[in-house]
Amino acid sequence: MKKLIILLALGGLTAHGQELSTSQSTRIKDIATIRGARSNQLTGLGIVVGLEGTGDTKATPQLQQAIANLMRKAGIQVEPAQMSLKNSAIVYVTGELPPFAQPGTRIDVNVSSLGDAKSLQGGTLLQTPLFGAASQEIAYAVAAGPLSIGGFNFSAGGSSVQKNHVTAGRIPDGAIVEHAVDSEFLTNKQLFIQLMKSDFTTANNVVESINKAYPDYAVRALDSATIRISAPDVKMFDPVRFVSELELLPVKVDVPAVIVVNERTGTIVIGENVRLRPAAIAHGGISVTITKTNTVSQPPPLTGNNGTALPVENTEVKVKESPARIAFLDGMPTVADVVKALNLLGVTPRDLISILQALRQAGALQAQIEVQ
């Protein structure tokens, strides 16, 4: 039987059963971002060399062609089909360009094998240009250097030992930014805040929080996820300080009434705004047990089977009806009372899921149920 696990999110009970306040606030920077201050994904195709015979085979013709193109740039003419490159591998290189990164900034890159290489251990990435999603003409960064794969792969005498994935690695500070991305976050003296999770009530709370701190600013929520701020000219000389102060403003986040159920692990997460209308729940069941026992029957002498022992199979059926548990749930003001009332039934996670779904179908549960 799975253990019943109930987690309370954003309010309700703590691990010690103490009730939390439902009016707790969080910082704006934890629920929103500044438009323009965003990162960008970079990708590129590269070649890893210096492998100890664990590279791509001829079953990966892309490597032969890439090496041939590289040698052609160096003035060496060679046919791709003539090459056997067991010490090289073609790889896919990815990285993330942080906002406001300037030329010369170093970033980490991840390297993953594209072919049938057995291991990238000990390999070195040749100079690889990294491009953005919008264009393959501007290389925003260039990556190169020795790989760190965080594992190993050794084989000898027909046996092998491997730890972690050896066909993917990482190069810390392995790429140098060559071109900066235009990340102007101030447009026409206006600043835009983007909520990570769209919600009309939270957007309105953000507007009220900013108006309270900066009454001279023109603040308006354009929709459920976008807030526009028009700051006076007196603040335009120091936009970084203004954004820093803005991010630290407290705001109350409105949380919808949601119950998240994970049937695989038996985990149930109940939000603080979940409420119950008056309802009665009866929970019980019938347990049927069937057992079989084998015995030997020894007939008396002078019978038809000459006294030969015969096996006999005895079947016993037991029916046990567990006492039904009945709980009356009055209108619950907090999620703590909801959980306490449901725990009194002593149900398993699967039964609790069924009870919650039945309560919602009956109109007694005021929440949305999300099953994972």
Side-chain angles (χ1 to χ4, degrees):
M1 181 182 296
K2 293 183 179 180
K3 183 179 179 181
L4 177 60
I5 304 175
I6 298 183
L7 303 179
L8 306 181
L10 303 175
L13 293 179
T14 64
H16 302 287
Q18 297 176 351
E19 191 169 341
L20 299 177
S21 173
T22 59
S23 60
Q24 292 180 340
S25 300
T26 186
R27 301 176 302 178
I28 289 180
K29 70 181 303 180
D30 297 325
I31 62 170
T33 59
I34 305 299
R35 180 184 294 181
R38 48 156 291 182
S39 58
N40 293 272
Q41 293 180 339
L42 303 178
T43 61
L45 287 176
I47 300 174
V48 171
V49 298
L51 304 179
E52 193 175 359
T54 60
D56 293 338
T57 65
K58 288 187 176 181
T60 308
Q62 300 91 336
L63 175 64
Q64 282 77 14
Q65 186 63 54
I67 295 292
N69 296 340
L70 184 64
M71 290 185 173
R72 189 175 297 112
K73 292 181 180 180
I76 302 174
Q77 298 294 329
V78 62
E79 292 295 328
Q82 298 176 351
M83 294 185 292
S84 179
L85 305 169
K86 295 182 179 180
N87 294 337
S88 305
I90 189 167
V91 294
Y92 194 68
V93 185
T94 60
E96 188 170 295
L97 186 66
F100 312 111
Q102 299 299 315
T105 304
R106 288 187 171 270
I107 60 175
D108 300 343
V109 293
N110 297 315
V111 180
S112 304
S113 173
L114 281 177
D116 57 353
K118 295 181 180 179
S119 174
L120 300 180
Q121 181 179 356
T124 300
L125 177 68
L126 298 182
Q127 191 177 69
T128 304
L130 302 180
F131 304 93
S135 174
Q136 293 293 317
E137 298 179 356
I138 301 177
Y140 290 98
V142 176
L147 272 69
S148 173
I149 62 174
F152 56 81
N153 183 19
F154 298 103
S155 61
S159 60
S160 62
V161 178
Q162 177 175 329
K163 179 182 179 181
N164 298 335
H165 294 283
V166 293
T167 55
R170 186 176 179 86
I171 307 179
D173 294 333
I176 302 176
V177 177
E178 299 292 339
H179 291 87
V181 177
D182 185 13
S183 301
E184 187 65 37
F185 62 96
L186 286 174
T187 305
N188 297 327
K189 298 181 180 180
Q190 292 181 339
L191 187 72
F192 292 87
I193 296 179
Q194 296 289 143
L195 294 182
M196 298 178 186
K197 191 171 183 179
S198 175
D199 186 83
F200 285 102
T201 304
T202 302
N204 184 67
N205 292 342
V206 171
V207 172
E208 292 180 354
S209 179
I210 299 175
N211 281 330
K212 183 178 180 180
Y214 303 98
D216 296 333
Y217 287 30
V219 186
R220 180 183 179 185
L222 302 182
D223 49 47
S224 61
T226 308
I227 295 95
R228 182 184 63 193
I229 305 174
S230 298
D233 294 339
V234 69
K235 282 283 186 177
M236 288 298 99
F237 72 97
D238 195 0
V240 174
R241 180 178 180 180
F242 168 60
V243 173
S244 175
E245 295 173 355
L246 193 66
E247 290 181 330
L248 298 179
L249 291 179
V251 61
K252 182 180 178 182
V253 180
D254 188 74
V255 181
V258 177
I259 298 176
V260 181
V261 175
N262 191 319
E263 290 189 304
R264 297 187 301 273
T265 62
T267 302
I268 301 174
V269 181
I270 303 178
E272 67 168 331
N273 291 325
V274 175
R275 297 292 185 268
L276 275 178
R277 293 181 179 275
I281 300 175
H283 176 73
I286 297 177
S287 175
V288 180
T289 304
I290 302 176
T291 58
K292 294 183 179 180
T293 56
N294 295 324
T295 59
V296 177
S297 175
Q298 181 66 45
L302 303 178
T303 57
N305 58 359
N306 298 322
T308 303
L310 298 175
V312 177
E313 185 180 82
N314 299 320
T315 302
E316 182 180 5
V317 179
K318 294 181 179 179
V319 179
K320 180 182 179 182
E321 182 175 6
S322 59
R325 301 180 179 91
I326 301 177
F328 178 76
L329 307 181
D330 201 351
M332 299 300 179
T334 64
V335 69
D337 297 326
V338 175
V339 175
K340 289 178 182 178
L342 293 179
N343 277 335
L344 291 177
L345 297 175
V347 298
T348 63
R350 189 170 300 275
D351 291 336
L352 183 54
I353 293 171
S354 300
I355 291 175
L356 293 174
Q357 291 175 340
L359 285 172
R360 186 175 184 275
Q361 187 175 4
L365 180 63
Q366 300 174 347
Q368 179 183 355
I369 300 177
E370 297 181 2
V371 181
Q372 298 179 348

